[in-house]
């Protein structure tokens, strides 16, 4: 069986293979969408195909929508040429259940796929037509957090953003420049209303998107490529809104096991590709079953009935609370704590770590005992139920090939939010910091991890981190199996509020972390022994 418009006409064959097909008239949906676009999405990768496009398919299946989504890729245009076009924009969505079963469904809600490339005149002309359409309600994004960045680490505009600012909208290259250029087309076509919605997994994502677009647009005003009315249009939330959102669904790289399952069902052509930009992508998307999307309900031109597909439509404060709940208490802190100890103990899969009683005790105490008492409760999602799902279903899922070494990447940029916010909440609420055990264990474990030696004494690679060299230099002189080699090197790290969100040396936690760290320097098996000592 071949997954394309013609191939899925053999409905009996697909159903016999246990693969669900769309319940709507795909050809009619395509015609309707192209003629009267309602939803355009930038970022044609896995999270879009495996989650967002599937939401619209549900609305189409239930008769709650007539049109689909138009997808546009801003970064890796080969995705359109090699993954969308050969399969008539269809995606094989494979849900990885925690009991090792799968659910397969062909998603057809993408009616058109375009290259958002400033050098591609025909595709940009088509995008302009879409933006000028009166019925266009929303433009959404999954382009990763770095896709919104206008400046580099030095604070200066990136080369692409600088070129867009200086050369104007005609051949914009940066994602924010392309977006601003197309919004200018909509402004010139009658200043029609639109919602511009980031669905990327980053804090205050709508604000990041708005700031990126406006920074380029204001440069165009200064350089004579735009008028003041365009800026006023972008700044008027009644015309152009930038809703905030929180998204949560793991869509890992295509798994060989899933490719083999599909081949066993008789599906041909599912082999992944690697593009020239090193995107590893396949005609199928494998993803976990749990998923969350919470969106600020500010849509000046109307919107699809997303709540009927399971999306939480709410206000900005609630979106912020859900994001804070996840990042500071219910998921991200658990991931970071288990990743550093997982690396020390030689694990390469998160699901295998969940079989380790010591690591399980670490994250259960971190989430339930230390986090829940000060969690931000958004009201629309139960924090305890969220942690239950994380601990009982998501992290143990053997189908999710996530590696603690990947989770340990950029830890210096994460601990301030993932642990520092809970510490600050304890201080603000007058709770004793002496109640905290897993948080100082995680901090001490991270310091021990930075020594690049595992719990057996073997050399261990430390994941990339912008502060890696600086932090390792501060720890110079410490020997992994010699507590006497410690001479207070941790203090300058613990005192840095940029890292931990607070100066830990002004709290009792600095002494606790130092004591735990010294125990972690006892030699072979020290990490295991420390976990058991404090968590048994």
């Amino acid at each position: 069986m071949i997954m394309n418009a013609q191939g899925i006409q053999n409905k009996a064959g697909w159903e016999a293979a246990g693969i669900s097909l769309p319940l709507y008239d795909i050809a009619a949906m395509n015609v309707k969408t192209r003629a009267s676009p309602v939803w355009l999405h930038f970022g044609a990768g896995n999270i879009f195909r495996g989650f967002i496009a599937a939401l619209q398919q549900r609305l189409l299946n239930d008769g709650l929508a007539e049109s689909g989504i138009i997808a546009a890729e801003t970064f890796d245009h080969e995705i359109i040429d090699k993954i969308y076009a050969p399969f008539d924009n269809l995606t094989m969505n494979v849900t990885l259940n925690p009991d090792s079963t799968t659910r397969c469904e062909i998603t057809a809600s993408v009616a058109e796929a375009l290259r958002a490339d400033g050098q591609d005149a025909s595709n940009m002309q088509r995008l302009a037509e879409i933006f000028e359409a009166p019925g266009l309600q929303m433009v959404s994004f999954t382009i990763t957090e770095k896709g919104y960045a206008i400046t580099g680490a030095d604070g200066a505009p990136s080369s692409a953003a600088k070129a867009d600012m200086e050369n104007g909208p005609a051949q914009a290259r940066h994602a924010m420049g392309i977006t601003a250029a197309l919004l200018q087309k909509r402004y010139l076509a009658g200043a029609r209303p639109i919602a511009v919605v980031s669905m990327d997994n980053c804090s205050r994502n709508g604000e990041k998107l708005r700031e990126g677009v406006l920074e380029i647009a204001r440069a165009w005003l200064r350089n004579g490529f735009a008028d003041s009315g365009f800026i006023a249009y972008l700044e008027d939330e009644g015309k152009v809104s930038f809703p905030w959102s929180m998204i949560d669904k793991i869509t890992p790289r295509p798994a060989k096991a899933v490719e083999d399952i599909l081949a066993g069902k008789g599906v041909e052509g599912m082999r992944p590709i690697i593009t020239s930009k090193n995107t590893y992508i396949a005609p199928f998307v494998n993803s976990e079953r749990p998923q969350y999307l919470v969106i600020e309900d500010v849509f000046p031109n109307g919107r699809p009935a997303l709540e009927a597909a399971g999306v939480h439509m709410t206000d900005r404060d609630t979106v912020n609370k859900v994001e804070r709940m996840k990042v500071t208490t219910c998921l991200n802190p658990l991931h970071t704590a288990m990743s550093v100890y997982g690396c020390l103990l030689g694990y390469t899969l998160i699901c295998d770590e969940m079989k380790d009683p010591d690591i399980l005790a670490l994250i259960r105490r971190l989430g339930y005992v230390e986090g829940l008492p000060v969690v931000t409760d958004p009201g629309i999602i139960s924090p305890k139920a969220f942690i239950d799902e994380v601990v009982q279903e998501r992290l143990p899922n053997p189908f999710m090939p996530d590696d603690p070494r990947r989770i340990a990447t950029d830890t210096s940029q994460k601990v301030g939010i993932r642990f520092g916010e809970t510490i600050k909440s304890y201080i603000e609420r007058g709770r004793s910091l002496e109640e905290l055990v897993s948080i100082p264990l995680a901090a001490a474990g991270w310091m021990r991890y930075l020594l690049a030696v595992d719990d057996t004494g073997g050399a261990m690679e430390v994941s990339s981190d912008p502060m890696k060299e600086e932090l390792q230099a501060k720890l110079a002189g410490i020997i992994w199996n010699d507590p006497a080699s410690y001479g207070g090197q941790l203090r300058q790290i613990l005192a840095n509020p940029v890292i931990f969100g607070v100066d830990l040396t002004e709290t009792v936690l600095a002494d606790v972390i130092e004591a735990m760290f010294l125990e972690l320097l006892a030699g072979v098996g020290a990490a295991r022994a420390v976990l058991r000592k404090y968590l048994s």
Side-chain angles (χ1 to χ4, degrees):
M1 297 183 293
I2 298 175
M3 186 181 68
N4 57 27
Q6 181 178 352
I8 64 172
Q9 298 307 309
N10 175 24
K11 294 184 179 181
W14 293 97
E15 290 171 0
I19 298 173
S20 300
L21 295 174
L23 303 179
Y24 49 92
D25 185 330
I26 298 171
M29 181 275 295
N30 287 338
V31 171
K32 174 74 172 177
T33 306
R34 290 170 185 251
S36 303
V38 171
W39 185 353
L40 171 70
H41 183 88
F42 285 108
N46 286 341
I47 188 65
F48 166 68
R49 297 191 297 150
F51 189 1
I52 297 162
L55 294 175
Q56 188 67 2
Q57 169 126 320
R58 181 172 170 182
L59 297 181
L60 287 161
N61 280 342
D62 292 344
L64 298 174
E66 296 180 348
S67 63
I69 305 175
I70 298 171
E73 175 57 30
T74 61
F75 173 69
D76 195 337
H77 305 124
E78 284 182 61
I79 292 174
I80 302 300
D81 302 335
K82 297 181 178 179
I83 293 296
Y84 280 79
F87 300 95
D88 296 326
N89 300 331
L90 303 177
T91 294
M92 178 71 71
N93 264 314
V94 182
T95 301
L96 308 174
N97 298 316
D99 62 359
S100 297
T101 61
T102 60
R103 179 182 180 276
C104 302
E105 177 182 17
I106 291 177
T107 300
S109 59
V110 176
E112 189 175 1
L114 301 167
R115 299 158 59 103
D117 179 0
Q119 309 306 307
D120 188 324
S122 62
N123 273 247
M124 292 306 295
Q125 176 58 37
R126 175 58 184 148
L127 284 167
E129 292 171 359
I130 294 165
F131 263 77
E132 291 167 355
L136 186 67
Q137 295 179 335
M138 65 184 296
V139 180
S140 54
F141 296 76
T142 50
I143 58 175
T144 75
E145 186 169 5
K146 64 185 178 184
Y148 304 99
I150 296 295
T151 59
D154 59 357
S158 66
S159 58
K162 187 172 185 291
D164 285 357
M165 292 174 179
E166 294 175 351
N167 299 329
Q171 291 190 344
R173 296 183 297 158
H174 192 286
M176 296 298 95
I178 290 171
T179 304
L182 292 168
L183 284 168
Q184 188 180 50
K185 295 284 189 183
R186 191 166 182 82
Y187 162 70
L188 294 172
R192 292 163 175 157
I194 188 74
V196 188
V197 190
S198 170
M199 295 182 180
D200 273 297
N201 185 22
C202 55
S203 179
R204 307 170 74 91
N205 50 17
E207 183 177 283
K208 289 180 170 65
L209 174 54
R210 182 178 188 271
E211 289 174 351
V213 169
L214 273 168
E215 188 165 349
I216 287 181
R218 287 167 179 152
W220 288 346
L221 175 64
R222 293 192 299 271
N223 294 329
F225 295 111
D227 60 32
S228 58
F230 177 49
I231 307 302
Y233 169 71
L234 293 177
E235 291 177 337
D236 182 352
E237 189 126 317
K239 288 288 188 178
V240 182
S241 66
F242 293 87
W244 293 18
S245 73
M246 189 289 292
I247 192 167
D248 184 26
K249 184 180 180 73
I250 298 174
T251 54
R253 64 183 295 171
K256 182 64 167 61
V258 173
E259 182 187 346
D260 292 342
I261 289 170
L262 293 172
K265 291 176 178 288
V267 184
E268 302 174 38
M270 293 288 106
R271 187 178 299 277
I273 66 166
I274 301 175
T275 71
S276 60
K277 290 190 174 181
N278 292 317
T279 301
Y280 190 88
I281 192 167
F284 66 89
V285 175
N286 43 229
S287 59
E288 66 174 344
R289 183 173 61 195
Q291 59 185 37
Y292 298 89
L293 180 57
V294 184
I295 304 177
E296 180 186 4
D297 198 359
V298 184
F299 289 76
N301 202 32
R303 61 170 175 79
L306 294 168
E307 66 278 5
V311 179
H312 296 275
M313 304 303 300
T314 184
D315 55 79
R316 180 173 296 184
D317 184 56
T318 302
V319 173
N320 201 36
K321 286 179 178 178
V322 173
E323 199 267 344
R324 181 177 173 85
M325 176 200 76
K326 177 178 80 90
V327 172
T328 69
T329 304
C330 296
L331 174 58
N332 299 48
L334 281 58
H335 247 163
T336 292
M338 70 188 302
S339 71
V340 294
Y341 278 99
C343 291
L344 288 171
L345 296 175
Y347 285 104
T348 57
L349 287 174
I350 291 292
C351 59
D352 287 342
E353 284 194 67
M354 292 299 291
K355 301 171 187 175
D356 187 311
D358 299 321
I359 289 179
L360 188 57
L362 172 71
I363 65 168
R364 288 185 67 88
R365 179 179 176 88
L366 179 58
Y368 290 110
V369 179
E370 298 178 15
L372 278 184
V374 295
V375 70
T376 298
D377 188 342
I380 61 172
I381 298 172
S382 162
K384 182 182 181 302
F386 193 97
I387 296 182
D388 287 344
E389 186 177 62
V390 166
V391 173
Q392 298 169 17
E393 182 175 342
R394 300 179 71 177
L395 297 179
N397 191 332
F399 254 140
M400 300 303 294
D402 219 346
D403 191 323
R405 294 169 295 187
R406 183 189 73 83
I407 304 298
T409 301
D410 299 338
T411 299
S412 70
Q413 309 301 296
K414 301 171 180 176
V415 291
I417 297 295
R418 299 185 180 192
F419 303 130
E421 290 302 307
T422 294
I423 293 169
K424 287 191 283 188
S425 292
Y426 269 67
I427 294 171
E428 290 166 2
R429 299 187 187 194
R431 296 183 67 101
S432 172
L433 293 177
E434 293 177 357
E435 297 177 45
L436 300 177
V437 175
S438 284
I439 286 180
L441 272 176
W446 175 45
M447 301 292 121
R448 169 65 181 81
Y449 162 82
L450 287 169
L451 299 183
V453 180
D454 67 21
D455 205 35
T456 69
M460 177 187 69
E461 181 181 355
V462 174
S463 300
S464 62
D465 188 306
M467 295 186 70
K468 177 179 173 179
E469 288 75 20
E470 177 185 344
L471 292 170
Q472 289 181 325
K474 292 182 185 298
L475 298 174
I478 300 175
I479 301 173
W480 74 277
N481 60 352
D482 181 9
S485 66
Y486 179 67
Q489 292 96 322
L490 259 62
R491 304 298 290 194
Q492 55 187 327
I493 299 174
L494 299 176
N496 189 342
V498 175
I499 296 176
F500 286 102
V502 292
D503 179 349
L504 292 178
T505 62
E506 295 180 352
T507 74
V508 298
L509 289 178
D511 290 340
V512 174
I513 293 168
E514 272 192 309
M516 290 174 170
F517 180 75
L518 280 170
E519 294 178 62
L520 288 167
L521 296 180
V524 173
R528 175 72 68 189
V530 167
L531 288 174
R532 288 182 177 172
K533 172 184 175 180
Y534 287 97
L535 297 167
S536 61

